[in-house]
Amino acid sequence: MTVLAALLRYQGALLLRSQHWIAPLVVYAGFVAVGVRPGDPALDSLGYAAAGLVPQTAWLVRICVTAEPPAARACAAAAAGATRVHAAALLTALAGALLAGTAGAGFALLTGDLKGHDPGGVALAGALAGAVLLAGCAGAAACLVSERRG
């Protein structure tokens, strides 16, 4: 097993056991449930679902990066390197956001109106809209790095 895989398992276990992931997931599910209505155009619904991913991803990044006690983070950084530990926390948050985003996009596609649109094009548009969460992850990571320096 590689070091990064072990760190990902460790960060995932920290996130799941802390149960801090529940609040962002419930807020995102509520956001999608209220904003995506059956019969709306599928592209509009996908855009709405993707817009909710940005704050949810930022929230998850904040949770994953600050979940460890400072002593445990120092031990992990000494063993594997600070960059790998931080990358594992970011990838864990991104994986959680991808799971939520996939569920939100699936709900938007199932309830949305595809009339007049190519299903493949709509799926591609949904994938591109889901890429917005990468911007949320990068923005949150930049904010956390600047916060720790300041």
Side-chain angles (χ1 to χ4, degrees), residues 1-122:
M1 177 184 311
T2 66
V3 174
L4 188 59
L7 286 171
L8 285 171
R9 287 183 54 207
Y10 171 65
Q11 291 290 336
L14 270 176
L15 180 64
L16 289 176
R17 288 182 186 164
S18 72
Q19 298 180 358
H20 287 118
W21 56 271
I22 295 173
L25 182 66
V26 168
V27 169
Y28 178 69
F31 182 81
V32 170
V34 168
V36 176
R37 294 179 305 218
D40 280 352
L43 291 173
D44 293 347
S45 299
L46 284 171
Y48 193 84
L53 281 175
V54 175
Q56 193 245 3
T57 304
W59 195 354
L60 277 175
V61 166
R62 172 81 177 168
I63 289 168
C64 287
V65 170
T66 60
E68 277 180 295
R73 181 127 178 140
C75 287
T83 305
R84 286 183 179 164
V85 172
H86 194 67
L90 291 176
L91 288 173
T92 302
L94 185 62
L98 281 172
L99 287 173
T102 302
F107 179 72
L109 286 173
L110 287 175
T111 61
D113 183 21
L114 291 172
K115 186 171 57 175
H117 296 289
D118 176 37
V122 172

